[in-house]
Amino acid sequence: MISRISGTVWGRGEGYVILRTGGLGLKVEVPSGVLKQIGPGEQALELFTYFQVRENRLGLYGFLTKEQRSLFELLLDISGVGPTVALSLLSTIAPDVLRQAVIQDRPGLLTKVPGIGSKTAKKIIFNLKDEVIPGDGETTPLLTEGDSEVIAALTELGFSLVEAQSALQGLPEDEDLSVEERIRLALSSLA
């Protein structure tokens, strides 16, 4: 199994990078977070990888952290979740948000991801319930009902889930703010 690759970025496209390593150019499918970290031109890159062998296809998938790779592997073990859906999920939702959705049993957070409907979201939460531990030893704050409403409102307005999450993290810790005020503040931070 190929578990780690380092090399020079030779090329990139939508959903993949081509790494030059040892005289070879390896096409590695990656979540969008990897592509955002690669600037124009060649640069060194190290990825934690998952190599999948199927009857009609070989697939090499790369991630910036071991945690992302582990979540990808857990997602692939779920019936009906293939590499495309798993990559889409990891491109759209941060690992902490996925963890919170599972712990709090909130499939609605996952249905914002392209390719994941209500049935698949419930299946993911059910299958990951015993696998996902909060924060791998660190304490991560769980989303409140108000936080979920802010994220839902922002995504309905056309912002990505990642943008909504980062706007939510930038809000003051004032508990006296109404949901509407929190949405307004989040919108102003996104403007």
mmCIF file of all heavy atoms in Angstrom, residues 115-154:
data_model
loop_
_atom_site.group_PDB
_atom_site.id
_atom_site.type_symbol
_atom_site.label_atom_id
_atom_site.label_comp_id
_atom_site.label_asym_id
_atom_site.label_seq_id
_atom_site.Cartn_x
_atom_site.Cartn_y
_atom_site.Cartn_z
ATOM 1 N N GLY A 115 -24.007 15.490 -3.399
ATOM 2 C CA GLY A 115 -23.944 14.037 -3.502
ATOM 3 C C GLY A 115 -24.428 13.309 -2.263
ATOM 4 O O GLY A 115 -24.483 12.085 -2.252
ATOM 5 N N ILE A 116 -24.771 14.054 -1.203
ATOM 6 C CA ILE A 116 -25.237 13.410 0.030
ATOM 7 C C ILE A 116 -26.669 13.846 0.310
ATOM 8 O O ILE A 116 -26.934 15.018 0.565
ATOM 9 C CB ILE A 116 -24.331 13.746 1.224
ATOM 10 C CG1 ILE A 116 -22.934 13.186 0.982
ATOM 11 C CG2 ILE A 116 -24.914 13.172 2.518
ATOM 12 C CD1 ILE A 116 -21.968 13.384 2.101
ATOM 13 N N GLY A 117 -27.561 12.881 0.242
ATOM 14 C CA GLY A 117 -28.961 13.124 0.562
ATOM 15 C C GLY A 117 -29.243 12.758 2.005
ATOM 16 O O GLY A 117 -28.351 12.351 2.758
ATOM 17 N N SER A 118 -30.479 12.865 2.382
ATOM 18 C CA SER A 118 -30.897 12.600 3.762
ATOM 19 C C SER A 118 -30.599 11.158 4.180
ATOM 20 O O SER A 118 -30.082 10.911 5.270
ATOM 21 C CB SER A 118 -32.384 12.895 3.904
ATOM 22 O OG SER A 118 -32.834 12.569 5.189
ATOM 23 N N LYS A 119 -30.899 10.212 3.303
ATOM 24 C CA LYS A 119 -30.690 8.795 3.615
ATOM 25 C C LYS A 119 -29.198 8.489 3.826
ATOM 26 O O LYS A 119 -28.815 7.816 4.784
ATOM 27 C CB LYS A 119 -31.268 7.941 2.490
ATOM 28 C CG LYS A 119 -31.229 6.463 2.745
ATOM 29 C CD LYS A 119 -31.887 5.718 1.601
ATOM 30 C CE LYS A 119 -31.789 4.221 1.779
ATOM 31 N NZ LYS A 119 -32.375 3.491 0.654
ATOM 32 N N THR A 120 -28.361 8.995 2.931
ATOM 33 C CA THR A 120 -26.913 8.762 3.044
ATOM 34 C C THR A 120 -26.348 9.452 4.284
ATOM 35 O O THR A 120 -25.505 8.889 4.979
ATOM 36 C CB THR A 120 -26.187 9.262 1.783
ATOM 37 O OG1 THR A 120 -26.761 8.624 0.640
ATOM 38 C CG2 THR A 120 -24.706 8.959 1.836
ATOM 39 N N ALA A 121 -26.825 10.671 4.584
ATOM 40 C CA ALA A 121 -26.349 11.395 5.760
ATOM 41 C C ALA A 121 -26.666 10.607 7.037
ATOM 42 O O ALA A 121 -25.814 10.481 7.926
ATOM 43 C CB ALA A 121 -26.983 12.781 5.823
ATOM 44 N N LYS A 122 -27.868 10.060 7.119
ATOM 45 C CA LYS A 122 -28.249 9.258 8.299
ATOM 46 C C LYS A 122 -27.401 7.995 8.394
ATOM 47 O O LYS A 122 -26.991 7.586 9.479
ATOM 48 C CB LYS A 122 -29.735 8.907 8.243
ATOM 49 C CG LYS A 122 -30.636 10.091 8.484
ATOM 50 C CD LYS A 122 -32.098 9.731 8.324
ATOM 51 C CE LYS A 122 -32.964 10.974 8.480
ATOM 52 N NZ LYS A 122 -34.375 10.703 8.218
ATOM 53 N N LYS A 123 -27.116 7.392 7.239
ATOM 54 C CA LYS A 123 -26.290 6.180 7.210
ATOM 55 C C LYS A 123 -24.866 6.487 7.683
ATOM 56 O O LYS A 123 -24.266 5.731 8.437
ATOM 57 C CB LYS A 123 -26.267 5.601 5.795
ATOM 58 C CG LYS A 123 -25.621 4.240 5.713
ATOM 59 C CD LYS A 123 -25.501 3.761 4.276
ATOM 60 C CE LYS A 123 -26.824 3.416 3.686
ATOM 61 N NZ LYS A 123 -26.697 2.772 2.352
ATOM 62 N N ILE A 124 -24.319 7.629 7.248
ATOM 63 C CA ILE A 124 -22.970 8.034 7.655
ATOM 64 C C ILE A 124 -22.925 8.237 9.164
ATOM 65 O O ILE A 124 -22.027 7.733 9.849
ATOM 66 C CB ILE A 124 -22.529 9.315 6.905
ATOM 67 C CG1 ILE A 124 -22.257 9.000 5.440
ATOM 68 C CG2 ILE A 124 -21.287 9.934 7.557
ATOM 69 C CD1 ILE A 124 -22.050 10.227 4.559
ATOM 70 N N ILE A 125 -23.896 8.958 9.689
ATOM 71 C CA ILE A 125 -23.917 9.219 11.135
ATOM 72 C C ILE A 125 -24.055 7.922 11.906
ATOM 73 O O ILE A 125 -23.354 7.691 12.901
ATOM 74 C CB ILE A 125 -25.027 10.229 11.480
ATOM 75 C CG1 ILE A 125 -24.588 11.610 10.997
ATOM 76 C CG2 ILE A 125 -25.322 10.237 12.973
ATOM 77 C CD1 ILE A 125 -25.590 12.700 11.176
ATOM 78 N N PHE A 126 -24.948 7.035 11.468
ATOM 79 C CA PHE A 126 -25.144 5.754 12.160
ATOM 80 C C PHE A 126 -23.853 4.934 12.172
ATOM 81 O O PHE A 126 -23.463 4.384 13.198
ATOM 82 C CB PHE A 126 -26.269 4.964 11.485
ATOM 83 C CG PHE A 126 -26.478 3.608 12.081
ATOM 84 C CD1 PHE A 126 -27.144 3.459 13.280
ATOM 85 C CD2 PHE A 126 -25.976 2.474 11.443
ATOM 86 C CE1 PHE A 126 -27.316 2.202 13.842
ATOM 87 C CE2 PHE A 126 -26.146 1.220 11.999
ATOM 88 C CZ PHE A 126 -26.823 1.076 13.199
ATOM 89 N N ASN A 127 -23.166 4.869 11.030
ATOM 90 C CA ASN A 127 -21.965 4.042 10.927
ATOM 91 C C ASN A 127 -20.746 4.640 11.624
ATOM 92 O O ASN A 127 -19.852 3.908 12.035
ATOM 93 C CB ASN A 127 -21.640 3.770 9.463
ATOM 94 C CG ASN A 127 -22.554 2.735 8.863
ATOM 95 O OD1 ASN A 127 -22.444 1.556 9.148
ATOM 96 N ND2 ASN A 127 -23.495 3.177 8.056
ATOM 97 N N LEU A 128 -20.696 5.962 11.737
ATOM 98 C CA LEU A 128 -19.531 6.596 12.365
ATOM 99 C C LEU A 128 -19.716 6.833 13.862
ATOM 100 O O LEU A 128 -18.784 7.239 14.544
ATOM 101 C CB LEU A 128 -19.210 7.921 11.673
ATOM 102 C CG LEU A 128 -18.730 7.846 10.229
ATOM 103 C CD1 LEU A 128 -18.387 9.232 9.714
ATOM 104 C CD2 LEU A 128 -17.543 6.912 10.082
ATOM 105 N N LYS A 129 -20.918 6.592 14.375
ATOM 106 C CA LYS A 129 -21.231 6.877 15.783
ATOM 107 C C LYS A 129 -20.187 6.287 16.744
ATOM 108 O O LYS A 129 -19.731 6.962 17.649
ATOM 109 C CB LYS A 129 -22.618 6.325 16.093
ATOM 110 C CG LYS A 129 -23.348 6.947 17.227
ATOM 111 C CD LYS A 129 -23.591 8.394 17.035
ATOM 112 C CE LYS A 129 -24.922 8.832 17.514
ATOM 113 N NZ LYS A 129 -25.094 10.255 17.452
ATOM 114 N N ASP A 130 -19.812 5.036 16.527
ATOM 115 C CA ASP A 130 -18.858 4.371 17.427
ATOM 116 C C ASP A 130 -17.403 4.599 17.033
ATOM 117 O O ASP A 130 -16.494 4.278 17.792
ATOM 118 C CB ASP A 130 -19.127 2.868 17.464
ATOM 119 C CG ASP A 130 -20.483 2.551 18.065
ATOM 120 O OD1 ASP A 130 -20.966 3.350 18.892
ATOM 121 O OD2 ASP A 130 -21.069 1.517 17.694
ATOM 122 N N GLU A 131 -17.167 5.138 15.839
ATOM 123 C CA GLU A 131 -15.813 5.314 15.340
ATOM 124 C C GLU A 131 -15.216 6.679 15.659
ATOM 125 O O GLU A 131 -14.011 6.808 15.817
ATOM 126 C CB GLU A 131 -15.782 5.119 13.816
ATOM 127 C CG GLU A 131 -16.283 3.775 13.346
ATOM 128 C CD GLU A 131 -15.349 2.644 13.711
ATOM 129 O OE1 GLU A 131 -14.142 2.874 13.864
ATOM 130 O OE2 GLU A 131 -15.846 1.511 13.840
ATOM 131 N N VAL A 132 -16.051 7.703 15.684
ATOM 132 C CA VAL A 132 -15.574 9.071 15.826
ATOM 133 C C VAL A 132 -15.508 9.454 17.300
ATOM 134 O O VAL A 132 -16.478 9.327 18.031
ATOM 135 C CB VAL A 132 -16.496 10.058 15.072
ATOM 136 C CG1 VAL A 132 -16.096 11.487 15.323
ATOM 137 C CG2 VAL A 132 -16.460 9.755 13.588
ATOM 138 N N ILE A 133 -14.330 9.915 17.710
ATOM 139 C CA ILE A 133 -14.168 10.410 19.071
ATOM 140 C C ILE A 133 -13.970 11.914 19.026
ATOM 141 O O ILE A 133 -13.309 12.412 18.132
ATOM 142 C CB ILE A 133 -12.991 9.735 19.809
ATOM 143 C CG1 ILE A 133 -11.844 9.452 18.865
ATOM 144 C CG2 ILE A 133 -13.401 8.533 20.566
ATOM 145 C CD1 ILE A 133 -10.659 8.823 19.487
ATOM 146 N N PRO A 134 -14.556 12.642 19.978
ATOM 147 C CA PRO A 134 -14.461 14.099 19.916
ATOM 148 C C PRO A 134 -13.036 14.596 20.004
ATOM 149 O O PRO A 134 -12.371 14.389 20.994
ATOM 150 C CB PRO A 134 -15.282 14.578 21.105
ATOM 151 C CG PRO A 134 -15.810 13.372 21.782
ATOM 152 C CD PRO A 134 -15.288 12.163 21.094
ATOM 153 N N GLY A 135 -12.568 15.217 18.954
ATOM 154 C CA GLY A 135 -11.319 15.963 18.967
ATOM 155 C C GLY A 135 -10.050 15.186 19.141
ATOM 156 O O GLY A 135 -9.008 15.773 19.331
ATOM 157 N N ASP A 136 -10.071 13.870 19.067
ATOM 158 C CA ASP A 136 -8.852 13.074 19.258
ATOM 159 C C ASP A 136 -8.069 13.548 20.475
ATOM 160 O O ASP A 136 -6.886 13.833 20.409
ATOM 161 C CB ASP A 136 -7.970 13.113 18.003
ATOM 162 C CG ASP A 136 -8.609 12.357 16.840
ATOM 163 O OD1 ASP A 136 -9.458 11.494 17.104
ATOM 164 O OD2 ASP A 136 -8.254 12.641 15.693
ATOM 165 N N GLY A 137 -8.756 13.696 21.610
ATOM 166 C CA GLY A 137 -8.083 14.063 22.850
ATOM 167 C C GLY A 137 -8.208 15.525 23.196
ATOM 168 O O GLY A 137 -8.044 15.914 24.326
ATOM 169 N N GLU A 138 -8.497 16.372 22.217
ATOM 170 C CA GLU A 138 -8.653 17.778 22.530
ATOM 171 C C GLU A 138 -10.142 18.093 22.584
ATOM 172 O O GLU A 138 -10.954 17.426 21.964
ATOM 173 C CB GLU A 138 -7.950 18.653 21.492
ATOM 174 C CG GLU A 138 -8.170 18.212 20.075
ATOM 175 C CD GLU A 138 -7.365 19.011 19.083
ATOM 176 O OE1 GLU A 138 -6.153 18.801 19.030
ATOM 177 O OE2 GLU A 138 -7.968 19.819 18.387
ATOM 178 N N THR A 139 -10.508 19.088 23.343
ATOM 179 C CA THR A 139 -11.918 19.412 23.465
ATOM 180 C C THR A 139 -12.308 20.393 22.377
ATOM 181 O O THR A 139 -11.713 21.454 22.246
ATOM 182 C CB THR A 139 -12.222 20.029 24.844
ATOM 183 O OG1 THR A 139 -11.405 21.180 25.008
ATOM 184 C CG2 THR A 139 -11.958 19.049 25.947
ATOM 185 N N THR A 140 -13.294 20.024 21.582
ATOM 186 C CA THR A 140 -13.799 20.905 20.542
ATOM 187 C C THR A 140 -15.212 21.307 20.913
ATOM 188 O O THR A 140 -16.001 20.466 21.314
ATOM 189 C CB THR A 140 -13.808 20.212 19.166
ATOM 190 O OG1 THR A 140 -14.569 19.020 19.275
ATOM 191 C CG2 THR A 140 -12.424 19.897 18.689
ATOM 192 N N PRO A 141 -15.528 22.584 20.807
ATOM 193 C CA PRO A 141 -16.866 23.003 21.173
ATOM 194 C C PRO A 141 -17.890 22.438 20.194
ATOM 195 O O PRO A 141 -17.681 22.451 18.985
ATOM 196 C CB PRO A 141 -16.793 24.531 21.065
ATOM 197 C CG PRO A 141 -15.669 24.800 20.133
ATOM 198 C CD PRO A 141 -14.715 23.663 20.289
ATOM 199 N N LEU A 142 -18.986 21.937 20.715
ATOM 200 C CA LEU A 142 -20.032 21.398 19.873
ATOM 201 C C LEU A 142 -20.908 22.534 19.374
ATOM 202 O O LEU A 142 -21.038 23.567 20.015
ATOM 203 C CB LEU A 142 -20.871 20.383 20.653
ATOM 204 C CG LEU A 142 -20.107 19.166 21.153
ATOM 205 C CD1 LEU A 142 -21.027 18.267 21.947
ATOM 206 C CD2 LEU A 142 -19.478 18.395 20.017
ATOM 207 N N LEU A 143 -21.515 22.350 18.222
ATOM 208 C CA LEU A 143 -22.392 23.363 17.664
ATOM 209 C C LEU A 143 -23.677 23.438 18.474
ATOM 210 O O LEU A 143 -24.280 22.417 18.804
ATOM 211 C CB LEU A 143 -22.742 23.021 16.212
ATOM 212 C CG LEU A 143 -21.640 23.122 15.182
ATOM 213 C CD1 LEU A 143 -22.158 22.648 13.832
ATOM 214 C CD2 LEU A 143 -21.113 24.520 15.080
ATOM 215 N N THR A 144 -24.101 24.648 18.758
ATOM 216 C CA THR A 144 -25.383 24.841 19.425
ATOM 217 C C THR A 144 -26.466 24.900 18.361
ATOM 218 O O THR A 144 -26.177 24.964 17.158
ATOM 219 C CB THR A 144 -25.391 26.145 20.239
ATOM 220 O OG1 THR A 144 -25.268 27.239 19.320
ATOM 221 C CG2 THR A 144 -24.265 26.176 21.257
ATOM 222 N N GLU A 145 -27.707 24.913 18.791
ATOM 223 C CA GLU A 145 -28.818 25.025 17.850
ATOM 224 C C GLU A 145 -28.730 26.343 17.080
ATOM 225 O O GLU A 145 -28.979 26.403 15.887
ATOM 226 C CB GLU A 145 -30.147 24.938 18.609
ATOM 227 C CG GLU A 145 -31.336 24.753 17.714
ATOM 228 C CD GLU A 145 -31.331 23.435 16.961
ATOM 229 O OE1 GLU A 145 -30.900 22.418 17.522
ATOM 230 O OE2 GLU A 145 -31.766 23.438 15.799
ATOM 231 N N GLY A 146 -28.335 27.423 17.797
ATOM 232 C CA GLY A 146 -28.167 28.732 17.149
ATOM 233 C C GLY A 146 -27.062 28.706 16.105
ATOM 234 O O GLY A 146 -27.197 29.311 15.035
ATOM 235 N N ASP A 147 -25.960 28.009 16.414
ATOM 236 C CA ASP A 147 -24.867 27.879 15.448
ATOM 237 C C ASP A 147 -25.354 27.191 14.179
ATOM 238 O O ASP A 147 -25.025 27.604 13.069
ATOM 239 C CB ASP A 147 -23.706 27.078 16.040
ATOM 240 C CG ASP A 147 -22.989 27.789 17.181
ATOM 241 O OD1 ASP A 147 -23.168 29.019 17.315
ATOM 242 O OD2 ASP A 147 -22.262 27.113 17.919
ATOM 243 N N SER A 148 -26.129 26.134 14.349
ATOM 244 C CA SER A 148 -26.664 25.403 13.191
ATOM 245 C C SER A 148 -27.573 26.289 12.361
ATOM 246 O O SER A 148 -27.559 26.224 11.130
ATOM 247 C CB SER A 148 -27.440 24.173 13.654
ATOM 248 O OG SER A 148 -26.590 23.270 14.303
ATOM 249 N N GLU A 149 -28.366 27.139 13.031
ATOM 250 C CA GLU A 149 -29.254 28.044 12.303
ATOM 251 C C GLU A 149 -28.456 29.073 11.513
ATOM 252 O O GLU A 149 -28.816 29.415 10.381
ATOM 253 C CB GLU A 149 -30.211 28.740 13.274
ATOM 254 C CG GLU A 149 -31.253 27.810 13.858
ATOM 255 C CD GLU A 149 -32.188 28.512 14.824
ATOM 256 O OE1 GLU A 149 -32.539 29.681 14.576
ATOM 257 O OE2 GLU A 149 -32.559 27.878 15.822
ATOM 258 N N VAL A 150 -27.364 29.575 12.096
ATOM 259 C CA VAL A 150 -26.516 30.546 11.402
ATOM 260 C C VAL A 150 -25.895 29.892 10.171
ATOM 261 O O VAL A 150 -25.912 30.457 9.072
ATOM 262 C CB VAL A 150 -25.422 31.115 12.337
ATOM 263 C CG1 VAL A 150 -24.414 31.947 11.564
ATOM 264 C CG2 VAL A 150 -26.044 31.935 13.458
ATOM 265 N N ILE A 151 -25.364 28.693 10.320
ATOM 266 C CA ILE A 151 -24.756 27.974 9.198
ATOM 267 C C ILE A 151 -25.797 27.696 8.119
ATOM 268 O O ILE A 151 -25.554 27.898 6.935
ATOM 269 C CB ILE A 151 -24.076 26.670 9.679
ATOM 270 C CG1 ILE A 151 -22.808 27.014 10.467
ATOM 271 C CG2 ILE A 151 -23.746 25.751 8.506
ATOM 272 C CD1 ILE A 151 -22.107 25.836 11.088
ATOM 273 N N ALA A 152 -26.987 27.259 8.535
ATOM 274 C CA ALA A 152 -28.045 26.968 7.561
ATOM 275 C C ALA A 152 -28.437 28.231 6.795
ATOM 276 O O ALA A 152 -28.609 28.194 5.569
ATOM 277 C CB ALA A 152 -29.259 26.376 8.271
ATOM 278 N N ALA A 153 -28.568 29.348 7.490
ATOM 279 C CA ALA A 153 -28.947 30.602 6.831
ATOM 280 C C ALA A 153 -27.879 31.033 5.832
ATOM 281 O O ALA A 153 -28.198 31.444 4.708
ATOM 282 C CB ALA A 153 -29.170 31.691 7.873
ATOM 283 N N LEU A 154 -26.614 30.940 6.218
ATOM 284 C CA LEU A 154 -25.531 31.365 5.331
ATOM 285 C C LEU A 154 -25.426 30.472 4.099
ATOM 286 O O LEU A 154 -25.194 30.952 2.989
ATOM 287 C CB LEU A 154 -24.203 31.405 6.080
ATOM 288 C CG LEU A 154 -24.089 32.477 7.177
ATOM 289 C CD1 LEU A 154 -22.782 32.329 7.945
ATOM 290 C CD2 LEU A 154 -24.227 33.870 6.609
#
